[in-house]
Amino acid sequence: MLRAVGGGVRLLLSVRGGGAERWLRWRLLQQAAPAVPRAAAPPAVGRWLLVCSGTVAGAVVLGGVTRLTESGLSMVDWHLVKGMKPPRTQQEWEAEFQKYQQFPEFKILNHDMTLTEFKFIWYMEYSHRMWGRVVGLAYILPAVYFWRKGWLSRPMKGCVLALCGLVCFQGLLGWYMVKSGLEEKPDSYDIPRVSQYRLAAHLGSALVLYSASLWTGLSLLLPQHKLPETRQLLRLRQFAHGTTALIFLTALSGAFVAGLDAGLVYNSFPKMGERWIPDDLLAFSPVLKNFFENPTTVQFDHRILGTASVTAITALYLFSRKIPLPRRTRMAVTSLLAVACVQVGLGISTLLLYVPTPLAATHQSGSLALLSVALWLMSELRRVPK
C-alpha cells in the first residue's frame, strides 16, 4: 500500500522479506526525484578538439608542400616505430639512397640526383610522417585521459572513438597511397606519381577528420544563438549547408588536380588557351574516365567548382543581409566572402604563374581556411535543441 505524506512518498508494504520492500522503495524514490540535466562536456574537451583540428590542418598543409616538391616517394618503406629514427651516419644515408634508387621515380625522373638533393626530399616526407604521428598522439592520449576522468558523455564517447579510428585509418591510407607510386609499370612512360584516386581518398579522409573535429569543438565552446525559427532563417541555414558541401567538393577536386599535375596545362584565364571549352575536354573513352584521369577535364572541373563556390558564397552573403543576425554570425558571413575572394585570386595567380610552390601551397592552405569559415558559419546558425 502507498500513502503520500508531506509531499513525499512513503511505502507501506505487507510483504514478507525486506529485499522486495527495499527495491520498491528505491524505484519510487527514483521516480519521485526531480530529473537532473546531464552535465555538458568541460570546455577543455572543446579546446582539445580545436587543437586536434589544428594539427590536422598542419598535416594537410605539410602534405601539400610534400606533394609540390615531389618528395612523397623518397621514403620507400613504412614502420610505425622504426621509421621514426632518421639516418645519421654517411653509411646509413647511402643505404637509404640505394633503396630509393631501386624504384621508378629515381630511374625515370631523378636518375641524376645527388645525395644532398635526396636528403632534402627525404626530410620533407619524413617531416610529414612524423607530424602524422603527432596528430595521432594529439587525439589518442587526451582521449584516454578525458575518458578516465569521466568528462565524456555517451554520445561524445562515440564521437571520440570515431575520430581516433579515423586517425588510424588515415595513417594506413597514406602508406597505401605512397605504395601506388612505388609500383613498377612496364607499359607506362609517364612520370611516376601516386594514384590520384588514392590521393583524393587520403585528402578526403583528412578533410572529414578536420571538419568533424572543428565542428564538434565549436559546438562545445560557442554558445548557441536563440534565433527565431523563421522561414528565412531556415533557408539561410540550408543555403549555408549546401555552400559548405560545395566548398568541400571543390577542395577534394584539388586532389585530382595535384595528382595529375593538371595545373600545368592551359595556364591561362578565363579561357583555356583560345577557347572557353578545350577540344580535348572529352578525349578519353569512356567519357566518365575524363573526369578523373584527363588533366584537361580535371582542371576544367576545378575551375567550374571554384566559380560555383564563390558565386554561392556571394549569393549567401547577399541573402544574409535581409535577415537580422547576431554580430558574431554576421562576422562569419562577411569573413566567408572575404576568404573566398582571396582564394579565387590565389587560384588564378597559381595557374597563370605555372604553379610556383609557395603560391600553390598558399592556395591549398586557402581551401582549408575557406572550409573552416564555412563550418564556423554553420555552427553559428545551428538550431537550438528543444
Side-chain angles (χ1 to χ4, degrees):
M1 181 175 62
L2 298 177
R3 183 168 57 193
V5 179
V9 178
R10 178 174 294 176
L11 180 66
L12 299 177
L13 291 171
S14 56
V15 181
R16 291 185 180 179
E21 181 180 346
R22 286 194 297 271
W23 181 83
L24 286 174
R25 182 183 288 119
W26 176 80
R27 288 291 297 166
L28 287 168
L29 289 174
Q30 288 289 320
Q31 295 173 7
V36 179
R38 178 176 292 176
V45 176
R47 289 193 289 267
W48 161 58
L49 289 173
L50 290 187
V51 170
C52 286
S53 66
T55 62
V56 176
V60 172
V61 173
L62 187 55
V65 175
T66 302
R67 176 73 188 92
L68 288 166
T69 55
E70 297 182 342
S71 306
L73 300 177
S74 56
M75 296 179 69
V76 297
D77 48 22
W78 188 86
H79 301 282
L80 182 60
V81 178
K82 184 180 176 181
M84 296 174 64
K85 179 185 176 183
R88 295 183 180 180
T89 65
Q90 182 70 13
Q91 184 178 3
E92 289 177 343
W93 273 114
E94 290 177 354
E96 192 70 25
F97 192 25
Q98 287 175 1
K99 287 195 294 184
Y100 174 68
Q101 293 173 357
Q102 307 303 313
F103 290 88
E105 185 175 70
F106 176 84
K107 296 177 181 178
I108 299 175
L109 185 64
N110 295 332
H111 52 84
D112 56 348
M113 175 176 280
T114 64
L115 180 59
T116 302
E117 293 170 332
F118 171 71
K119 286 182 179 181
F120 172 78
I121 64 171
W122 192 93
Y123 271 121
M124 285 297 305
E125 173 64 8
Y126 176 76
S127 301
H128 183 51
R129 294 192 185 189
M130 290 303 297
W131 189 257
R133 288 171 170 82
V134 170
V135 173
L137 293 176
Y139 274 93
I140 294 172
L141 294 183
V144 173
Y145 174 78
F146 292 139
W147 195 299
R148 292 178 62 86
K149 294 284 287 186
W151 289 359
L152 304 177
S153 63
R154 180 174 293 181
M156 185 57 64
K157 286 180 179 178
C159 177
V160 168
L161 283 176
L163 291 176
C164 292
L166 189 54
V167 168
C168 298
F169 173 74
Q170 176 71 357
L172 295 174
L173 191 57
W175 172 242
Y176 180 65
M177 176 193 70
V178 170
K179 280 188 65 178
S180 66
L182 299 175
E183 297 169 353
E184 295 278 358
K185 300 175 182 177
D187 299 331
S188 175
Y189 298 96
D190 198 5
I191 295 174
R193 55 166 64 96
V194 299
S195 164
Q196 68 271 24
Y197 297 102
R198 298 186 191 184
L199 177 60
H202 188 48
L203 175 63
S205 62
L207 293 178
V208 169
L209 178 63
Y210 173 78
S211 300
S213 303
L214 181 61
W215 169 263
T216 308
L218 291 176
S219 300
L220 292 175
L221 293 177
L222 292 181
Q224 291 179 270
H225 301 294
K226 295 182 179 179
L227 302 173
E229 289 294 328
T230 63
R231 180 176 297 180
Q232 281 188 316
L233 180 63
L234 178 61
R235 290 178 61 190
L236 180 64
R237 186 182 291 130
Q238 292 172 342
F239 201 171
H241 289 183
T243 302
T244 303
L246 185 58
I247 292 170
F248 185 96
L249 183 60
T250 305
L252 189 60
S253 74
F256 287 93
V257 175
L260 293 171
D261 289 329
L264 297 176
V265 299
Y266 293 105
N267 296 93
S268 57
F269 191 87
K271 292 184 177 181
M272 297 181 72
E274 299 297 325
R275 303 173 65 90
W276 290 102
I277 300 177
D279 294 329
D280 57 340
L281 185 66
L282 300 176
F284 292 6
S285 181
V287 174
L288 186 61
K289 188 177 181 181
N290 290 277
F291 294 94
F292 305 103
E293 299 184 16
N294 185 344
T296 299
T297 313
V298 167
Q299 188 195 114
F300 182 82
D301 291 344
H302 193 60
R303 291 184 185 215
I304 296 298
L305 287 170
T307 303
S309 295
V310 74
T311 302
I313 291 169
T314 304
L316 177 66
Y317 173 80
L318 295 176
F319 182 69
S320 71
R321 303 295 296 176
K322 302 177 182 179
I323 306 174
L325 295 173
R327 181 174 177 271
R328 202 176 66 204
T329 308
R330 180 73 59 197
M331 187 184 304
V333 178
T334 306
S335 300
L336 183 63
L337 180 62
V339 175
C341 293
V342 172
Q343 178 67 353
V344 169
L346 287 171
I348 295 173
S349 301
T350 301
L351 183 69
L352 296 179
L353 296 175
Y354 291 85
V355 197
T357 297
L359 195 57
T362 306
H363 179 54
Q364 291 180 353
S365 304
S367 66
L368 205 58
L370 189 61
L371 180 61
S372 304
V373 181
L375 290 168
W376 173 29
L377 177 59
M378 282 178 53
S379 179
E380 294 290 334
L381 294 173
R382 69 188 188 275
R383 191 190 305 271
V384 177
K386 296 181 180 179

